[in-house]
Amino acid sequence: MDRDILFERGRRNLSRIGRIITIAAGKGGVGKSVVAASLALTLGERGKNVGLLDLDVHGPSIPDILHARGEIVASKEGLKPLSVHGIKVMSTGMLIGDNPLPTKGEDKRNLISFLVGLTNWGNLDYLIIDLPPGTGDETIWVLRALRGLKNVGVLVVTTPSILAVSVVRRLLSMLEDEKIRVIGIVENMAYFNCEGKVYRPFGRFSEELVRRFKLRVIASLPIDPSLEQTIYDGGLPHRSSEELKSAFYRLCDVVESSWGE
Ligand SMILES: Nc1ncnc2c1ncn2[C@@H]1O[C@H](COP(=O)(O)OP(=O)(O)OP(=O)(O)O)[C@@H](O)[C@H]1O
Ligand SMILES: [Mg+2]
C-alpha cells in the first residue's frame, strides 16, 4: 500500500483512540522503554484498555521488557497486536524479528507507517507510544502523524543530568513548534535511597527549562538496583520494587488528571 495512504489511515486510527501518550527523550538509555511499559501495565491494572506501540526501529526493547513472544497475525482487519499481561502490544521488533534492520530513512518511515496504519487496536482508552531517542527521522515522522490530534500528550523522560539538558531543550523546542502538548517531565533514575538517606547523584532537572517551556516535573523515579534482575528473571518492571510501583501509580494519577478527569 502507498505510504501516504497508510499515513492518512494511521492518522484516522490514532484519532479514534481515547488518549495517546507518546514517550520521548533527548538522550538514549534514560529509561523511555521501562517507563512506557510500566505506565502501560499500571494503567492496564487500573482497568483501562491499553495498547503499547514500540516504534524504536533500531532498539525495540518492549518485547524483551515484557517477555512478549509470539506471531503477529495479519488479516483483512489489519495486524493484530499481541495480548500480554492485560495490555495489547505491537513492536517493530515483532515484525522485523531477526531480519536485518532497515537502515535508510525511507525504509524506517515505511515500517513505521505500516505499523501505525495497519495495526487494529480495537477499542482503546490509552495508547502508549515508545519512541527512539532524540529528534531523528522516526521521531519527526511520528510527531507529524500526531500533529493536530486533540487526544495526544507527550511525556518527556530524562535523567536530571546536566548533559541531558541541551538535548531535552532541542526536543522541547521541536514539540513546541509542532504544537504538541507536553504532559510533563519524568525524571528517571533521579535518586536512590540508602538506609533511609536519599542521594541524588545527577542533581535536579533544570529549573530554567521548566520555566522556559512552562512545564512541570510530574514524577521523580528512583534508581532501582533490582530492576535489571527483575526483568532478567521474567518479572515486570512496574513491580520491581514497592518504591517504583507506587511512583508509577502516582504518575498514572497525574497523567489521568492531566486530561481533566
Ligand atoms: N529507574 C531505574 N532504575 C534502575 N535501572 C533503570 C531504571 N530505568 C531504566 N533502567 C535501566 O536502564 C537501561 C535503559 O533503560 P531503557 O531501555 O528503558 O532506556 P531507553 O531510554 O528506552 O533506551 P533507548 O534510548 O536505547 O531506547 C535498562 O537497562 C533499564 O533496565
Ligand atoms: Mg527504548
Side-chain angles (χ1 to χ4, degrees):
M1 204 185 283
D2 180 80
R3 193 174 69 210
D4 291 335
I5 297 175
L6 274 178
F7 185 79
E8 279 315 313
R9 189 171 156 164
R11 270 182 67 83
R12 270 202 311 281
N13 273 347
L14 295 174
S15 67
R16 281 196 282 264
I17 288 168
R19 295 163 175 183
I20 299 172
I21 303 172
T22 304
I23 312 291
K27 272 198 177 299
V30 293
K32 285 176 301 300
S33 301
V34 163
V35 170
S38 302
L39 183 64
L41 291 164
T42 310
L43 284 167
E45 285 178 359
R46 290 160 66 116
K48 307 292 182 196
N49 286 325
V50 182
L52 175 56
L53 176 59
D54 174 8
L55 290 182
D56 190 341
V57 173
H58 287 289
S61 336
I62 294 294
D64 290 333
I65 293 175
L66 295 180
H67 320 287
R69 302 277 172 264
E71 291 275 296
I72 296 296
V73 182
S75 71
K76 62 179 186 324
E77 280 82 42
L79 302 172
K80 189 167 181 277
L82 279 191
S83 288
V84 286
H85 315 294
I87 62 174
K88 294 176 181 171
V89 181
M90 179 59 89
S91 165
T92 51
M94 292 168 175
L95 282 194
I96 301 170
D98 294 328
N99 294 317
L101 290 167
T103 47
K104 286 192 299 210
E106 185 77 358
D107 295 339
K108 285 191 262 184
R109 283 196 293 271
N110 284 342
L111 180 62
I112 289 174
S113 302
F114 188 74
L115 275 187
V116 175
L118 293 184
T119 303
N120 179 6
W121 294 102
N123 276 337
L124 284 189
D125 300 314
Y126 284 93
L127 178 67
I128 315 295
I129 303 180
D130 185 19
L131 285 180
T135 48
D137 235 18
E138 298 97 309
T139 304
I140 291 170
W141 183 248
V142 173
L143 294 181
R144 240 193 79 197
L146 298 174
R147 186 188 287 162
L149 297 182
K150 295 276 177 277
N151 56 346
V152 176
V154 174
L155 283 184
V156 173
V157 179
T158 179
T159 55
S161 147
I162 49 166
L163 294 182
V165 167
S166 60
V167 265
V168 173
R169 184 191 302 276
R170 210 168 305 134
L171 173 68
L172 290 172
S173 297
M174 195 168 125
L175 292 166
E176 193 174 61
D177 291 347
E178 296 289 338
K179 298 190 173 48
I180 295 183
R181 180 172 80 96
V182 177
I183 302 171
I185 305 285
V186 175
E187 280 185 326
N188 189 27
M189 301 189 249
Y191 67 94
F192 64 92
N193 200 328
C194 183
E195 293 172 353
K197 191 162 167 29
V198 171
Y199 296 86
R200 295 185 67 97
F202 306 118
R204 286 183 191 274
F205 187 70
S206 158
E207 282 187 17
E208 186 264 317
L209 275 199
V210 168
R211 277 197 303 275
R212 154 72 183 81
F213 290 95
K214 300 189 179 66
L215 293 173
R216 271 201 308 153
V217 175
I218 57 170
S220 285
L221 305 175
I223 297 172
D224 175 4
S226 58
L227 183 61
E228 283 290 314
Q229 193 65 38
T230 300
I231 296 173
Y232 184 78
D233 290 342
L236 295 174
H238 69 313
R239 298 208 200 116
S240 171
S241 68
E242 274 309 313
E243 206 167 359
L244 214 47
K245 187 175 165 186
S246 45
F248 280 116
Y249 262 76
R250 287 196 299 276
L251 175 59
C252 280
D253 284 340
V254 178
V255 165
E256 294 205 67
S257 61
S258 81
W259 262 279
E261 260 184 12

